[in-house]
Amino acid sequence: MCDIVDRLTIGTGRAQSINGPRGGTTIPVQVKLHQGDIPADLNFGDSVAVDTETLGLNPLRDRLCLVQLSSGDGVGHIVQLRAGQYAAPNLKRLFSD
């Protein structure tokens, strides 16, 4: 998954649609790609859904390469993390709240 993000054209600002859980329902979706951290002014409100991608299943061995975040508003934020570059102060601030 980590190297696939390099080949995607994400963050163009164009919204796409996917079928919703009830079939026929359309949910507008926009994906924003961030390198290394989320913007300091990004606000998810009271809750945020988080998903992560690693290079394997062993967190002691396999590095974290992608964090996906959404507040449920149809905008997904993808944070791509490079090997050894885990500073991400804004992401850490979000998780410590």
Side-chain angles (χ1 to χ4, degrees):
M1 180 61 149
C2 297
D3 57 343
I4 292 174
V5 174
D6 289 329
R7 297 190 300 262
L8 295 175
T9 53
I10 298 175
T12 60
R14 293 179 300 217
Q16 298 179 2
S17 295
I18 60 171
N19 285 332
R22 296 188 178 96
T25 305
T26 302
I27 302 169
V29 176
Q30 184 177 20
V31 179
K32 296 186 178 185
L33 177 63
H34 309 285
Q35 297 293 327
D37 201 2
I38 55 175
D41 61 347
L42 187 58
N43 184 348
F44 289 100
D46 293 336
S47 64
V48 61
V50 179
D51 183 37
T52 60
E53 302 294 336
T54 62
L55 291 178
L57 298 176
N58 182 342
L60 299 176
R61 179 194 66 207
D62 303 319
R63 76 175 186 87
L64 177 66
C65 57
L66 200 73
V67 179
Q68 301 167 71
L69 306 154
S70 178
S71 64
D73 63 354
V75 180
H77 295 269
I78 296 178
V79 182
Q80 186 176 19
L81 301 168
R82 301 282 183 203
Q85 298 177 352
Y86 298 115
N90 300 322
L91 195 56
K92 288 179 182 176
R93 189 176 313 114
L94 174 69
F95 290 145
S96 67
D97 183 14

